[in-house]
Amino acid sequence: MTERTAQSDLLYSETEDDLRAAVRSLLTDRAGHQELLGRIESDSPYVPGLWKALAGDMGAAGLLVPEKLGGQGASHREAAVVLEELGRAVTPAPYLTSAVVATETLLALAGESTPAAELLSGLASGRTVAVLAVPLSASPYAEPSERSTASTVTGVADAGAADVLLVSRADGLYAVPAGEATVEPQIPLDLTRPLARVTTEAGSGTLLAGPDAAAAAIRRGLLAGAGLLASEQLGLAEWCLEETVRHTRERHQFNRPVGSFQALKHRMAQLWLDVVGARAAARAAADALATGSPDAPLTVAVAQAYCSKVAVRAAEECVQLHGGIGMTWEHPAHIALKRAKSDQLALGSAGRHQDAIAALVDLPAPA
Amino acid sequence: MTDAEELRSLTRQLLADHPPATTDRTDFLRARFDAGLAWVHYPVGLGGLDAPRALQAVVDTELAAAGAPDNDPRRIGIGLGMAAPTLLAYGSDEVKRRFLRPLWVGEEVWCQLFSEPGAGSDLAALGTRAVRDGGDWVVDGQKVWTSSAHVARWAILIARTDPDVPKHRGITYFVCDMTDPGVEVRPLRQITGEAEFNEVFLTGVRIPDAHRLGETGDGWRVAQTTLMNERVSIGGARIPREGGMIGKAATTWRERPELRTHDLHRRLLDLWVDAEVARLTGERLRQQLVAGQPGPEGSAMKLGFARLNQAISGLEVELLGEEGLLYGEWEMRRPELVDFTGRDAGYRYLRSKGNSIEGGTTEVLLNIVAERVLGLPSEPRNDKDVAWKDLSR
């Protein structure tokens, strides 16, 4: 077909399918749910060696980074596929925080800032993990003045795994080595994405950018994070649905597989419809970010408003349709539920994204 | 194999030989059919060129740019979406040559005689009888919910030819002549006040055996071709953002600030997001079809649109406040076309109630998704091994 249009590409390429297979196989071997259940209450839920294999050996951390800055020169489309797999497996890994949000923030500065460019090449290779020191719930739409510039920031995701913290202060964005910061773990709802309270001293670290450039870069980082979070939510929802279908086909009650009861079948079919929609929405967001489309802010907001609801619904249905088994600590359903619920608040709630949509498409609230 | 370049040049040749500005609409459509540019994936001589289905877009784009008339797929939807693929798969050469051209051109409208008062979702329970009489079949029974029966020239019909075997096995598929004196069409007035559907009474209707599609008793399998095509017929066109019913509600919201409330704002945004995601899902399905990887997502489309149309039109009535209490007109009309987004909000609200019933109820389609897509076990059945005549009714 020779017809070409600017319409977004919502399918997966062969390269993306190959990448998916490689990531899935790595996660299945090294970070299965049983492995995870054994780790979530230890000092660190991160599987040793997994980050090196995923980020470094496989090159997944550098997908968003151009080759001349030491990355893979791929795009948000490929990073989205990695996140789908990390969502399916509910993997504890600083991918969204370091390889997407921090990376995208630094990419906005790399042109002018030598320290940012240098930091970026470390991130791209997976040798360095950096985390933007904002609460996981930070919305891309908040004005910089609303954003915390206090010396202590709470609810920072993956801060414990970070080598470098990107700290926003009144006079700009700083890169602070982890050794110069105080990182105190908090107890997170989502045990697979650790949160911490981060305190840094005024004047510590290296200045990356002044306040205006920093504000724009942070907004870009959070927007890309929100857009790709939709893919994590898609992967998680898909796992919840598949697992629920598998369980209800095998589980017998009243002398029949429970999956043959119409009431349950309808709930799972409805969930499948939601997942089909989530896939289209998440793909559209990844593609819009990858192509730098002017439609990206709207497409991201639509994907977030839709996918965060679908992931929570899928995880809640997974728990319910597993019956008592779904309430146990041994079954991974609760890990998915905790991740889904936490993801719902991450990088702007669905309501914040809807407010953004209202402004973007001119559907204003009542006066 | 025909490629895009070749199709483009054939289309330009058609436009040169029959300039749309000076050619009669029907003549143009006949010429287009004869050039094989009607549905390019159909066989040569039957309106196509055996080309890949995806290449139809090349022809359609060229023709639209030249302002050529189209064959109004809305008016001939049943013929195009249901009768044609079934005729192509099961008709004799003579049947195909006789029916496909006037069907596509729109000179002959088709309707579908499947549902009955006692057999809707359980379609295979149908009781309309067809009895062999020499070279003909004689049909007696009643059909219902038949759109376009009052304007149709031909119908696709399923009837019971053997009551002594289980219900799925004793059905045969026919082409029925709607001008037969035994065919009586009565309007069925609906919830909207209009009569877009009909009841059809069949009394001693004679159908030549040459108008049977598929083997005697194999009509259920033939009907699957028809029904599958009914459900995948969407997916051809790109829908712009706010292209469906949501556009109506959004426009009202923008133009009438005095109607806005916080409650409605939140619900409108929820539905706007759902409508945009449904549009993207449709676009993704379209891209899959073009790439030759059809997925089961088609089933999602009808279910999603039914729910959305109902929710959006319901919100629209509320949004209009006092005006929402009024209705355009209740006078009984017999529209030739179904116009889901036309008329006023009250009409849209009432008409969209049918979206979750027509073409398979939401409940039945959810069962199909659960069983065929997700692989969930079917419910226990007690009608599979019982002769149709022994089933309780």
Side-chain angles (χ1 to χ4, degrees), chain A residues 92 104 140:
Chain A
E104 189 82 19

Side-chain angles (χ1 to χ4, degrees), chain A residues 146-197:
Chain A
E146 298 169 41
R147 209 167 273 134
S148 174
T149 49
S151 58
T152 299
V153 187
T154 55
V156 181
D158 295 323
D163 304 298
V164 177
L165 295 149
L166 306 180
V167 179
S168 174
R169 298 198 182 114
D171 62 336
L173 186 69
Y174 286 80
V176 180
E180 295 174 29
T182 309
V183 177
E184 303 160 86
Q186 297 178 287
I187 300 176
L189 172 67
D190 172 10
L191 291 157
T192 63
R193 183 128 61 204
L195 301 177
R197 184 184 295 111

